[in-house]
């Protein structure tokens, strides 16, 4: 499912919705809250992140 016209992307970890990110900075904050080091996360790593409707450059 692509991001809605109003913008933002739902962020889920293990099926739990953490919130809506409106940019990559928001997304990385959710990553941090999930216990990962945002500086160590490769946002194009398809084994870690499933982007729907476009990659990390689509908001």
């Amino acid at each position: 499912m692509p991001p809605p016209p109003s913008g933002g992307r739902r962020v889920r970890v293990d099926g739990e919705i953490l919130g809506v990110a409106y940019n990559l900075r928001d997304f990385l904050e959710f990553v941090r809250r999930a216990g990962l080091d945002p500086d160590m996360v490769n946002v194009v790593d398809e084994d870690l992140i499933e982007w729907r409707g476009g990659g990390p450059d689509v908001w």
Side-chain angles (χ1 to χ4, degrees):
M1 165 184 300
S6 61
R9 299 180 88 151
R10 259 187 275 176
V11 178
R12 294 176 190 239
V13 174
D14 294 329
E16 178 184 345
I17 297 173
L18 301 182
V20 177
Y22 291 93
N23 54 49
L24 194 54
R25 185 179 357 195
D26 290 347
F27 172 77
L28 291 172
E29 175 59 18
F30 286 118
V31 165
R32 184 192 67 74
R33 291 179 190 179
L36 299 172
D37 180 350
D39 292 330
M40 301 303 292
V41 172
N42 179 354
V43 295
V44 295
D45 181 350
E46 294 179 5
D47 291 329
L48 180 63
I49 302 168
E50 178 185 352
W51 294 101
R52 296 183 181 178
D57 56 338
V58 177
W59 295 94

